[in-house]
Amino acid sequence: MFISRLKLKNWRNFKQVDVPLRERVFVIGPNASGKSNLLDVLRFLRDVAKPKGGGLQRAVEARGGLTKLRCLLARRDTEVMVEVELSERIDEPAIWRYRLAFKSEGKGAQRVIVSQEVVEDLRDGGLLLDRPDDDDRSDQERRTETSLEQVNANKDFREIAQFFSSLTYLHLVPQLLKHVELGAAGQLEGDPFGQSFLERIAKTTDRTRSARLRKIESALQACVPNMRNLKFERDQVTGTPHLEALYEHWRPDAGWQREDQFSDGTLRLLGIMWSLLEGDSLLLLEEPELSLNEAIVREIPALLWEIQRKAKYRRQVFITTHSKALLEHKSIDPREVLRLELSVEGTKVLPPSQEDIDLVAAGYSVAEAMASKAVPAVRLEQLSLI
Amino acid sequence: MAVLEHVVLASGRPFAVERRLVERGFGNIKRSVTKYKQASHVLPHVVLADLDLADCPASLRSAWGAVDLPRSMLFRVAVRETESWLLGDGEGFAVFSSVPLNKIPREPETLPDPKQTLVGLVRRSRNRRLAAEIVPRPGSPVPIGPLYNERLVSFVQSQWSIDAAAAVCPSLQRMRDRLTTFVPIAS
């Protein structure tokens, strides 16, 4: 399943958003335009839906409360709304629509209450949930929780809850893996920075693990050609999990290296690929181009596709990027790109215009056709003389 | 890009610049000429390249395949570099760079390396700060200083007179003429 349409109202710096989505989504835009905030809406749905420690109240609280979450431009209408449509396959009609809207109670403890929660099964048009209903009206307490987060209430649409709760956000920070003492202060929920990456590898069964590592190794060949025999090991003394690889060397036996000796770029790529192979829900990647050589960045779209093909389930991927090199890949369909543009009415999320699509058809890459519009208002490229 | 945009907007025609593409290097333009021809049917294109060391604009155009252009595309060549056009407005440049007017070449399009000439002029500027920004440090293998582009772009935007420059730069004058009669028809 994947998200084929996203609608937002008053979410952080977005006042109104309504965009179609495909299996790969590249989010581009100037610095501080809200790329991460856009991904955060999906993490928010995960936080609401996840079975352990989830729920609307906690998800809002974790983001600093409703006042931090609500768009500053929201004037009369202060409700925050998120709506997604889910499809089974690309270019097929959506099968689910889920809408969640919430606002402040307006009195007393100013709790966050559900102002709308709607689930539609679009295959037979059934409206499975339409809140607030009579029960909600008679018992205000009920409105502090979504039906999505309750196993008793989400029986008919548990598929949606599971989809949301299993999405992954990854912004792997290699230094946190190399210097475990840095992470001693604790981990954030959902492990966004990949600190427990090795633990996750350790928890998979031997067979799955070696199959995945084999796939990763073969895909990595192009980027790190002298790396061989990527394998998982436990430290004999402490039992700590480690990744090891053999770096080819003129000496026949030298060159076994552990993850703390891998390059930052290699570790990030490993993390991204493992995540692509691991789950079946949406994967959110922040700037996969970091610490990578431009020649490899150019190949990221192909690499992602290759690994997506090898995975058991094809995950939908959201990628934020600043890299022109990444977007120059000729296989990127302009319809896979969302461009963020700052305006006085909050950030706008723009799907490609017909002109963008025509320019790509005429031979421009997505980077030239769309990223040239994503530069900030000072127009950095004007700094060039000709 | 600043020069190109300035010339297009000062053409007296109702043109608006929708998109800007800085190709960084003639190789990229050369490679993309066919693409521009195609894409100009979607959105009219005005392409400006430096002649650099090529013989003449006509031979450069044919060598790059910039012939039989669609009506929605202009391909112009600056002789030898855009810097000649900047030096073309001698009075403006003298004020900007604090260099005596009589030191500035009268026919900048005949210069073999206008960028070097420009940098050489500013090197002797009374404005030490500007010189440090535009001129590379002695012994440096690079041709320009750290704020070369930024300073010249602000010159173009605030002081540069196209009329004065076009009077001594034939290739700029030809570009202006072509812009006056440019009727881009996107099909």
Side-chain angles (χ1 to χ4, degrees):
Chain A
M1 234 176 12
F2 75 102
I3 300 179
S4 49
R5 186 172 174 186
L6 175 67
K7 271 173 98 169
L8 302 175
K9 188 178 75 182
N10 293 336
W11 175 266
R12 298 210 192 238
N13 56 331
F14 304 98
K15 203 165 169 225
Q16 290 282 352
V17 173
D18 184 1
V19 281
L21 303 172
R22 299 179 74 80
E23 278 186 307
R24 284 197 301 196
V25 182
F26 295 91
V27 184
I28 62 173
N31 279 320
S33 60
K35 292 186 290 296
S36 305
N37 285 349
L38 190 66
L39 295 200
D40 190 47
V41 76
L42 303 164
R43 295 168 70 191
F44 174 78
L45 288 176
R46 178 196 62 190
D47 293 350
V48 171
K50 72 183 168 198
K52 265 189 281 181
L56 176 67
Q57 301 299 329
R58 276 202 68 179
V60 173
E61 204 178 299
R63 284 161 179 79
L66 197 55
T67 43
K68 291 270 171 62
L69 202 93
R70 187 172 55 214
C71 181
L72 291 171
L73 297 153
R75 293 178 197 104
R76 271 189 300 274
D77 182 6
T78 55
E79 182 187 66
V80 181
M81 192 274 290
V82 182
E83 181 183 309
V84 293
E85 284 179 12
L86 299 168
S87 300
E88 202 63 67
R89 265 176 286 278
I90 196 87
D91 292 325
E92 278 183 14
I95 54 174
W96 291 108
R97 181 180 295 134
Y98 177 78
R99 183 190 315 139
L100 172 63
F102 50 94
K103 57 185 178 189
S104 172
E105 203 171 12
K107 58 179 182 206
Q110 298 289 359
R111 289 174 301 182
V112 178
I113 54 163
V114 175
S115 51
Q116 282 183 70
E117 191 180 19
V118 179
V119 179
E120 285 172 82
D121 184 342
L122 300 169
R123 283 163 294 199
D124 52 13
L127 194 60
L128 300 182
L129 182 76
D130 189 8
R131 295 179 65 194
D133 52 19
D134 291 342
D135 291 340
D136 289 327
R137 276 182 278 272
S138 62
D139 180 8
Q140 185 78 358
E141 256 345 271
R142 284 175 57 96
R143 294 179 64 179
T144 59
E145 288 188 6
T146 61
S147 299
L148 188 72
E149 70 199 70
Q150 301 167 37
V151 275
N152 287 326
N154 70 16
K155 188 160 83 44
D156 299 329
F157 52 92
R158 191 156 302 147
E159 203 185 349
I160 303 182
Q162 280 166 352
F163 176 80
F164 289 153
S165 61
S166 56
L167 75 85
T168 325
Y169 171 85
L170 185 70
H171 188 5
L172 190 127
V173 181
Q175 283 72 15
L176 289 179
L177 270 182
K178 291 182 178 177
H179 305 284
V180 273
E181 68 276 14
L182 287 178
Q187 251 176 44
L188 290 177
E189 271 186 80
D191 189 27
F193 305 121
Q195 283 159 274
S196 65
F197 173 53
L198 291 172
E199 298 293 338
R200 266 157 58 206
I201 295 183
K203 274 184 196 146
T204 40
T205 62
D206 284 345
R207 252 186 79 190
T208 321
R209 182 169 56 224
S210 39
R212 283 182 190 162
L213 288 177
R214 257 201 320 278
K215 287 173 189 168
I216 291 176
E217 191 189 315
S218 80
L220 267 180
Q221 280 292 302
C223 318
V224 198
N226 54 353
M227 196 172 97
R228 296 271 180 280
N229 300 347
L230 181 64
K231 64 174 186 186
F232 176 83
E233 282 288 316
R234 269 188 191 281
D235 191 292
Q236 300 253 322
V237 184
T238 61
T240 330
H242 287 293
L243 277 177
E244 285 189 343
L246 185 67
Y247 277 78
E248 283 197 337
H249 200 273
W250 57 272
R251 271 186 282 180
D253 230 5
W256 278 103
Q257 294 195 343
R258 277 191 173 171
E259 75 283 345
D260 52 0
Q261 291 162 295
F262 290 178
S263 78
D264 288 358
T266 310
L267 268 176
R268 282 185 68 92
L269 276 178
L270 272 171
I272 292 170
M273 290 179 175
W274 182 271
S275 309
L276 278 166
L277 292 171
E278 191 175 40
D280 55 357
S281 176
L282 180 58
L283 175 64
L284 310 171
L285 294 177
E286 288 266 22
E287 303 183 14
E289 71 267 22
L290 293 181
S291 6
L292 290 174
N293 176 296
E294 197 179 77
I296 293 171
V297 173
R298 276 179 205 289
E299 291 310 315
I300 288 181
L303 211 61
L304 293 180
W305 193 86
E306 173 101 30
I307 264 301
Q308 271 181 313
R309 193 186 49 177
K310 285 181 178 156
K312 204 162 168 193
Y313 304 99
R314 206 176 162 81
R315 301 187 83 167
Q316 187 180 22
V317 202
F318 269 64
I319 299 161
T320 66
T321 182
H322 281 294
S323 166
K324 254 187 142 173
L326 193 152
L327 295 169
E328 266 166 16
H329 203 272
K330 292 282 188 180
S331 76
I332 299 178
D333 184 328
R335 293 173 301 169
E336 293 176 320
V337 181
L338 294 179
R339 195 176 70 235
L340 305 193
E341 199 176 273
L342 298 163
S343 80
V344 283
E345 284 294 278
T347 299
K348 289 185 184 149
V349 182
L350 303 170
S353 63
Q354 190 56 46
E355 191 181 279
D356 294 326
I357 294 174
D358 290 344
L359 282 174
V360 172
Y364 277 107
S365 72
V366 162
E368 293 164 323
M370 296 183 72
S372 62
K373 279 184 163 179
V375 290
V378 282
R379 295 249 169 246
L380 279 177
E381 87 261 66
Q382 272 187 5
L383 296 177
S384 155
L385 201 52
I386 76 156
Chain B
M1 184 51 66
V3 171
L4 175 56
E5 190 166 352
H6 204 69
V7 175
V8 169
L9 293 179
S11 64
R13 303 285 308 284
F15 296 136
V17 179
E18 285 275 325
R19 289 157 189 266
R20 302 157 185 82
L21 201 62
V22 180
E23 291 286 22
R24 304 185 195 284
F26 73 90
N28 292 331
I29 300 188
K30 186 176 177 182
R31 204 177 313 127
S32 308
V33 168
T34 327
K35 184 171 80 185
Y36 302 147
K37 285 189 187 174
Q38 286 280 329
S40 69
H41 293 296
V42 181
L43 185 76
H45 278 47
V46 179
V47 181
L48 176 64
D50 282 347
L51 178 63
D52 288 326
L53 298 173
D55 287 341
C56 70
S59 61
L60 181 137
R61 294 167 70 108
S62 58
W64 288 17
V67 285
D68 300 327
L69 298 179
R71 295 180 65 178
S72 48
M73 175 170 164
L74 274 190
F75 183 93
R76 304 308 309 169
V77 180
V79 178
R80 302 216 159 244
E81 284 172 320
T82 320
E83 279 82 352
S84 332
W85 292 1
L86 302 189
L87 294 173
D89 174 17
E91 287 183 21
F93 194 79
V95 173
F96 161 75
S97 64
S98 308
V99 166
L101 181 57
N102 59 11
K103 298 271 193 239
I104 296 171
R106 295 287 159 77
E107 292 182 347
E109 293 206 353
T110 59
L111 297 170
D113 187 346
K115 186 176 274 148
Q116 198 188 19
T117 310
L118 190 151
V119 170
L121 283 170
V122 179
R123 183 173 284 125
R124 283 186 291 277
S125 162
R126 287 188 303 274
N127 183 342
R128 295 322 299 161
R129 182 167 169 187
L130 187 78
E133 289 166 346
I134 289 188
V135 182
R137 285 176 163 264
S140 164
V142 298
I144 58 170
L147 293 181
Y148 180 87
N149 271 327
E150 289 76 358
R151 288 297 161 261
L152 290 179
V153 166
S154 70
F155 164 63
V156 170
Q157 285 165 348
S158 59
Q159 289 166 278
W160 186 53
S161 155
I162 302 186
D163 290 329
V168 294
C169 298
S171 69
L172 175 58
Q173 185 54 48
R174 279 197 299 275
M175 173 158 185
R176 294 180 85 197
D177 294 345
R178 289 302 307 275
L179 276 168
T180 344
T181 56
F182 184 42
V183 186
I185 301 170
S187 53

